[in-house]
């Protein structure tokens, strides 16, 4: 089957878009790394998994858009799309997203503070009485435990005395 030049250009454009989308996905990975500190092992594992995902996406795009034919210009186009995105949008997108996520978290924590304010107020009001009651109840429990120990030793002594009186007879 003959492949026209229009189909080749269309496949090249799809390859460029695929490379740009993969670069965007990698930037989402970079954003998550900035927001949540990760260890080197996890970073390396994420990179390996991303490369496997990228290979699957590139081969499936080549298979679906080029009638199952895998050609080098598709992969070169994907690398070019990745490079163009990284050179033009890389830092703007990541820095802007991290800045925006930071503000969203600040707003979320502020809203949570407002929502939880009545609960914290009730907690602060009731904290002192509960601590006071708890202190005295612990003191009372200690006294009760000490009294139980004394009573137990008295019972043992009585038991020994009765044993001795029974054994003498």
């Amino acid at each position: 089957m003959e492949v026209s030049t229009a189909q080749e250009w269309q496949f090249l454009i799809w390859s460029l878009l695929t490379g740009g989308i993969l670069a965007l996905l990698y930037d989402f990975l970079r954003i998550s790394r900035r927001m949540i500190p990760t260890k080197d092992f996890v970073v390396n594992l994420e990179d390996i998994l991303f490369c496997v995902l990228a290979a699957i996406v590139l081969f499936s795009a080549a298979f679906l858009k080029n009638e199952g034919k895998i050609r080098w210009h598709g992969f070169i186009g994907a690398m070019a799309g990745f490079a163009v995105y990284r050179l033009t949008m890389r830092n703007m997108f990541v820095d802007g997203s991290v800045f925006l996520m930071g503000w969203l978290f600040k707003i979320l924590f502020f809203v949570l503070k407002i929502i939880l304010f009545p609960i914290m107020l009730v907690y602060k009001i009731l904290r002192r009485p509960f601590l006071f009651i708890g202190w005295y109840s612990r003191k009372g429990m200690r006294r009760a435990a000490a009294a139980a120990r004394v009573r137990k030793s008295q019972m043992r002594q009585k038991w020994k005395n009765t044993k001795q009186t029974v054994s003498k007879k």
Side-chain angles (χ1 to χ4, degrees):
M1 184 187 322
E2 197 67 30
V3 178
S4 69
T5 308
Q7 288 175 328
E8 293 293 331
W9 280 105
Q10 185 182 22
F11 178 64
L12 182 64
I13 290 170
W14 274 106
S15 298
L16 288 168
L17 286 174
T18 303
I21 290 170
L22 286 173
L24 181 70
L25 289 176
Y26 190 73
D27 276 348
F28 282 123
L29 189 62
R30 288 178 59 223
I31 291 167
S32 70
R33 288 179 187 165
R34 278 200 191 173
M35 298 302 285
I36 304 167
T38 54
K39 296 186 178 187
D40 290 339
F41 173 75
V42 176
V43 170
N44 292 334
L45 185 65
E46 287 174 347
D47 285 341
I48 290 169
L49 290 175
F50 177 78
C51 287
V52 169
L53 174 76
I56 291 170
V57 167
L58 287 173
F59 276 108
S60 62
F63 185 76
L64 293 173
K65 293 295 178 185
N66 202 21
E67 300 173 356
K69 298 175 187 171
I70 298 174
R71 297 194 176 163
W72 285 104
H73 69 275
F75 294 109
I76 292 171
M79 286 189 285
F82 194 91
V84 166
Y85 175 85
R86 298 278 289 169
L87 291 173
T88 58
M89 296 292 293
R90 170 185 166 187
N91 291 331
M92 287 188 301
F93 180 71
V94 173
D95 293 341
S97 296
V98 169
F99 179 76
L100 184 65
M101 295 277 280
W103 272 101
L104 287 175
F105 282 136
K106 286 180 183 178
I107 292 170
L108 177 69
F109 287 134
F110 181 73
V111 169
L112 280 174
K113 226 182 222 185
I114 291 172
I115 291 172
L116 295 177
F117 176 74
I119 296 170
M120 293 302 294
L121 186 64
V122 169
Y123 170 75
K124 285 183 179 181
I125 291 170
L126 295 178
R127 187 171 129 210
R128 292 240 180 210
F130 278 121
L131 287 176
F132 185 74
I133 292 169
W135 185 78
Y136 274 107
S137 66
R138 277 183 288 189
K139 191 175 179 182
M141 291 299 287
R142 280 190 230 120
R143 285 182 184 165
R149 283 193 297 273
V150 168
R151 183 72 180 146
K152 186 178 178 182
S153 67
Q154 289 173 351
M155 291 298 286
R156 280 188 184 156
Q157 190 62 39
K158 283 184 181 180
W159 177 252
K160 282 184 183 178
N161 291 340
T162 54
K163 249 179 142 179
Q164 288 175 357
T165 55
V166 169
S167 64
K168 286 183 183 179
K169 291 184 181 181

